Amino acid sequence: MNVLIIGEGGREHALAWKVRQSREYTNLFCIPGNAGIAEIAICRPDIKLYETAKLIDFIKRQQNIELTIVGPDNPLADGIVDALRSGGCRVLGPTKNAAMIESSKVFAKQLMKKYGIPTADFEVFESFEEACSYVEKQSFPLVVKADGLARGKGVIICESADEAKGALKKMMVDKAFGNSGNRVVIEKFLKGKEATLICFTDGKAIIPMASCQDHKRAFDGDQGPNTGGMGAFSPSMSFTDEMLKEAEEKILQPVIDAMQEEGRPFSGILYCGLIITDEGLKVLEFNARFGDPEAQVILPRLKSNFLKICNAIVDGTLEGRKIEWDDSVAVCVMLTSKGYPGSFETGFPIEIGDVDPDVLLFHSGTSKNAYGELVTAGGRVIGVTALAPTIAEAREKAYKNAEKIKFEGKQYRKDIGLNL
Ligand code: GLY
């Protein structure tokens, strides 16, 4: 089976690496890919996702690709799955209408309210003035969220009315996230430990993956601005088997049923960001895809045949399938460019060094320069994933190897997997 992965980050590198462990795959392609993915797949950055007819021609006629896996949020929100399916391609991922569970926070919150799925109380605003007068009457902290996609930066926790008004101005008036800030959700701040549960779903059945947790803030001790994720670990130490049952019964299955009921069946990978409160689990967010770097700690722990699971999702035959996980703990430390998540320079040569052979390096922002050298090409550069029997050992191994990789301006958090 020829397989295509769409995307260019560490998540897509991890997906490509996992696909290659399935006996069923023959040729593996990636659009656009990166320098790390190019070592294990044929990357075609020349094919543009918006040139739908050329993309379909490449998939169907030129390469006989039987399965396309879409990694990132933007093409899903833009409807790439609908476009490829109407061209006769077999695609893993939600349609545009179903991907709204991520691409519109207003849609996701209203869906949860309608179907009684536990989440923080909220209000929706389209007017900056009305939102400002609302926050003046609230107690703090509270959370201001841009409705649309904002590269992980559209959620701001505010400690005062002035901070909330600043966040609202940034989103609604200054348009820091473009049209994504035309509407906002203002919600109650929930206290508790966070955990992420991602599931496979064919639109009817759900199979939860191993739990995990990412570290979103840029600096140690959860300080600094939000990023796409500075590291992750799996399993989440706070997430018990009872919580898994609660999540399946009260959140995951109900939301998949709700999407079906709404005429937007969700098939693909559903990411559920959870908070463990005194009143039970509540949903912080849904994403319509694997998390990144979460995929870099989950996929290495998956023992079952990944392509068979993907095929069952696309064929609608997931029900009753058993999926096995490795007992090891996985820790991923993300190496980033100096300045990330703000502005940063790229093009610095990367020296990989003598990394242990059982440590996984998933490239996020890398490319080859004119001399064929591996260079930095993004804010997040390489994720270093180590597996070990305990989190302490996995951390030690990930950090020992993270130190061996060298490039100018390399930055990383030193506390991934701590303060659980
Ligand atoms: N690491 C968070 C995300 O992928 O959305």
mmCIF file of all heavy atoms in Angstrom, residues 11 102 152 214 216 227-229 271 285 287 289-294 380, ligand 1:
data_model
loop_
_atom_site.group_PDB
_atom_site.id
_atom_site.type_symbol
_atom_site.label_atom_id
_atom_site.label_comp_id
_atom_site.label_asym_id
_atom_site.label_seq_id
_atom_site.Cartn_x
_atom_site.Cartn_y
_atom_site.Cartn_z
ATOM 1 N N ARG A 11 5.325 15.864 14.353
ATOM 2 C CA ARG A 11 4.178 14.925 14.341
ATOM 3 C C ARG A 11 4.194 14.085 13.071
ATOM 4 O O ARG A 11 4.040 12.864 13.119
ATOM 5 C CB ARG A 11 2.887 15.753 14.430
ATOM 6 C CG ARG A 11 1.627 14.996 14.021
ATOM 7 C CD ARG A 11 0.421 15.923 14.057
ATOM 8 N NE ARG A 11 0.696 17.164 13.381
ATOM 9 C CZ ARG A 11 0.213 18.359 13.744
ATOM 10 N NH1 ARG A 11 -0.598 18.454 14.762
ATOM 11 N NH2 ARG A 11 0.533 19.447 13.080
ATOM 12 N N GLU A 102 -12.305 21.845 16.242
ATOM 13 C CA GLU A 102 -11.067 22.554 16.587
ATOM 14 C C GLU A 102 -11.046 23.969 16.008
ATOM 15 O O GLU A 102 -10.599 24.902 16.670
ATOM 16 C CB GLU A 102 -9.836 21.792 16.061
ATOM 17 C CG GLU A 102 -8.566 22.632 16.225
ATOM 18 C CD GLU A 102 -7.275 21.887 15.961
ATOM 19 O OE1 GLU A 102 -7.307 20.794 15.378
ATOM 20 O OE2 GLU A 102 -6.224 22.418 16.362
ATOM 21 N N GLY A 152 -1.835 27.887 18.511
ATOM 22 C CA GLY A 152 -1.625 27.620 19.937
ATOM 23 C C GLY A 152 -1.491 28.872 20.788
ATOM 24 O O GLY A 152 -1.218 28.780 21.986
ATOM 25 N N ASP A 214 1.510 17.608 27.531
ATOM 26 C CA ASP A 214 2.571 18.440 26.936
ATOM 27 C C ASP A 214 2.887 19.610 27.854
ATOM 28 O O ASP A 214 2.203 19.840 28.857
ATOM 29 C CB ASP A 214 2.209 18.897 25.517
ATOM 30 C CG ASP A 214 1.190 20.018 25.489
ATOM 31 O OD1 ASP A 214 0.455 20.171 26.483
ATOM 32 O OD2 ASP A 214 1.126 20.739 24.481
ATOM 33 N N LYS A 216 3.286 23.546 27.518
ATOM 34 C CA LYS A 216 3.030 24.574 26.496
ATOM 35 C C LYS A 216 3.886 25.822 26.654
ATOM 36 O O LYS A 216 4.236 26.462 25.668
ATOM 37 C CB LYS A 216 1.561 24.979 26.533
ATOM 38 C CG LYS A 216 0.643 23.892 26.006
ATOM 39 C CD LYS A 216 -0.723 24.403 25.628
ATOM 40 C CE LYS A 216 -1.568 23.317 25.001
ATOM 41 N NZ LYS A 216 -1.822 22.163 25.869
ATOM 42 N N THR A 227 3.583 28.174 23.586
ATOM 43 C CA THR A 227 4.223 27.698 22.350
ATOM 44 C C THR A 227 3.346 26.580 21.783
ATOM 45 O O THR A 227 2.341 26.211 22.385
ATOM 46 C CB THR A 227 5.612 27.097 22.651
ATOM 47 O OG1 THR A 227 5.415 25.871 23.383
ATOM 48 C CG2 THR A 227 6.476 28.046 23.465
ATOM 49 N N GLY A 228 3.800 25.996 20.690
ATOM 50 C CA GLY A 228 3.103 24.812 20.178
ATOM 51 C C GLY A 228 3.306 23.606 21.086
ATOM 52 O O GLY A 228 2.547 22.633 21.034
ATOM 53 N N GLY A 229 4.326 23.664 21.943
ATOM 54 C CA GLY A 229 4.648 22.553 22.855
ATOM 55 C C GLY A 229 6.155 22.382 22.940
ATOM 56 O O GLY A 229 6.813 22.198 21.930
ATOM 57 N N TYR A 271 -8.400 14.791 19.507
ATOM 58 C CA TYR A 271 -7.536 15.176 20.646
ATOM 59 C C TYR A 271 -8.412 15.847 21.685
ATOM 60 O O TYR A 271 -9.134 16.793 21.372
ATOM 61 C CB TYR A 271 -6.499 16.148 20.102
ATOM 62 C CG TYR A 271 -5.567 16.825 21.083
ATOM 63 C CD1 TYR A 271 -4.194 16.579 21.013
ATOM 64 C CD2 TYR A 271 -6.007 17.755 22.023
ATOM 65 C CE1 TYR A 271 -3.306 17.232 21.859
ATOM 66 C CE2 TYR A 271 -5.123 18.397 22.874
ATOM 67 C CZ TYR A 271 -3.777 18.135 22.786
ATOM 68 O OH TYR A 271 -2.886 18.783 23.618
ATOM 69 N N GLU A 285 -10.222 21.675 25.607
ATOM 70 C CA GLU A 285 -10.257 21.899 24.152
ATOM 71 C C GLU A 285 -10.336 20.554 23.430
ATOM 72 O O GLU A 285 -9.939 19.526 23.958
ATOM 73 C CB GLU A 285 -8.988 22.619 23.674
ATOM 74 C CG GLU A 285 -7.724 21.824 23.922
ATOM 75 C CD GLU A 285 -6.468 22.445 23.318
ATOM 76 O OE1 GLU A 285 -6.575 23.354 22.475
ATOM 77 O OE2 GLU A 285 -5.371 21.998 23.689
ATOM 78 N N ASN A 287 -9.073 19.020 19.621
ATOM 79 C CA ASN A 287 -8.363 19.238 18.367
ATOM 80 C C ASN A 287 -8.737 18.108 17.420
ATOM 81 O O ASN A 287 -9.043 16.991 17.861
ATOM 82 C CB ASN A 287 -6.848 19.267 18.567
ATOM 83 C CG ASN A 287 -6.407 20.487 19.382
ATOM 84 O OD1 ASN A 287 -7.040 21.537 19.317
ATOM 85 N ND2 ASN A 287 -5.349 20.343 20.146
ATOM 86 N N ARG A 289 -6.948 16.336 15.350
ATOM 87 C CA ARG A 289 -5.689 15.764 14.831
ATOM 88 C C ARG A 289 -4.827 15.283 15.995
ATOM 89 O O ARG A 289 -5.156 15.548 17.151
ATOM 90 C CB ARG A 289 -4.946 16.881 14.105
ATOM 91 C CG ARG A 289 -4.846 18.078 15.051
ATOM 92 C CD ARG A 289 -4.013 19.212 14.603
ATOM 93 N NE ARG A 289 -4.154 20.314 15.545
ATOM 94 C CZ ARG A 289 -3.490 20.478 16.668
ATOM 95 N NH1 ARG A 289 -2.558 19.593 17.036
ATOM 96 N NH2 ARG A 289 -3.713 21.487 17.484
ATOM 97 N N PHE A 290 -3.708 14.653 15.699
ATOM 98 C CA PHE A 290 -2.708 14.345 16.722
ATOM 99 C C PHE A 290 -2.112 15.649 17.246
ATOM 100 O O PHE A 290 -1.953 16.610 16.489
ATOM 101 C CB PHE A 290 -1.543 13.571 16.103
ATOM 102 C CG PHE A 290 -1.678 12.080 16.173
ATOM 103 C CD1 PHE A 290 -1.934 11.353 15.029
ATOM 104 C CD2 PHE A 290 -1.523 11.405 17.369
ATOM 105 C CE1 PHE A 290 -2.052 9.977 15.076
ATOM 106 C CE2 PHE A 290 -1.632 10.027 17.433
ATOM 107 C CZ PHE A 290 -1.895 9.305 16.283
ATOM 108 N N GLY A 291 -1.719 15.688 18.504
ATOM 109 C CA GLY A 291 -0.955 16.826 19.021
ATOM 110 C C GLY A 291 0.501 16.689 18.600
ATOM 111 O O GLY A 291 0.970 15.611 18.260
ATOM 112 N N ASP A 292 1.178 17.823 18.627
ATOM 113 C CA ASP A 292 2.614 17.841 18.368
ATOM 114 C C ASP A 292 3.253 18.704 19.443
ATOM 115 O O ASP A 292 2.925 19.887 19.520
ATOM 116 C CB ASP A 292 2.871 18.454 16.970
ATOM 117 C CG ASP A 292 4.294 18.247 16.512
ATOM 118 O OD1 ASP A 292 5.064 17.623 17.239
ATOM 119 O OD2 ASP A 292 4.630 18.718 15.412
ATOM 120 N N PRO A 293 4.033 18.164 20.371
ATOM 121 C CA PRO A 293 4.768 16.911 20.298
ATOM 122 C C PRO A 293 4.084 15.666 20.857
ATOM 123 O O PRO A 293 4.743 14.625 20.962
ATOM 124 C CB PRO A 293 6.014 17.225 21.140
ATOM 125 C CG PRO A 293 5.529 18.176 22.184
ATOM 126 C CD PRO A 293 4.467 18.995 21.527
ATOM 127 N N GLU A 294 2.811 15.711 21.205
ATOM 128 C CA GLU A 294 2.199 14.525 21.823
ATOM 129 C C GLU A 294 2.381 13.270 20.957
ATOM 130 O O GLU A 294 2.616 12.176 21.482
ATOM 131 C CB GLU A 294 0.708 14.778 22.064
ATOM 132 C CG GLU A 294 0.402 15.794 23.168
ATOM 133 C CD GLU A 294 0.357 17.230 22.686
ATOM 134 O OE1 GLU A 294 1.014 17.547 21.670
ATOM 135 O OE2 GLU A 294 -0.319 18.053 23.312
ATOM 136 N N ARG A 380 10.530 25.353 16.308
ATOM 137 C CA ARG A 380 10.801 24.047 16.922
ATOM 138 C C ARG A 380 11.659 23.286 15.917
ATOM 139 O O ARG A 380 11.308 23.187 14.739
ATOM 140 C CB ARG A 380 9.492 23.322 17.221
ATOM 141 C CG ARG A 380 8.692 24.062 18.291
ATOM 142 C CD ARG A 380 7.561 23.248 18.846
ATOM 143 N NE ARG A 380 6.485 23.057 17.906
ATOM 144 C CZ ARG A 380 5.379 22.350 18.185
ATOM 145 N NH1 ARG A 380 5.256 21.764 19.361
ATOM 146 N NH2 ARG A 380 4.421 22.218 17.290
HETATM 147 N N1 GLY B 1 0.799 20.434 21.656
HETATM 148 C C1 GLY B 1 -0.489 20.965 21.496
HETATM 149 C C2 GLY B 1 -1.126 20.745 20.185
HETATM 150 O O1 GLY B 1 -0.620 20.041 19.332
HETATM 151 O O2 GLY B 1 -2.185 21.297 19.961
#
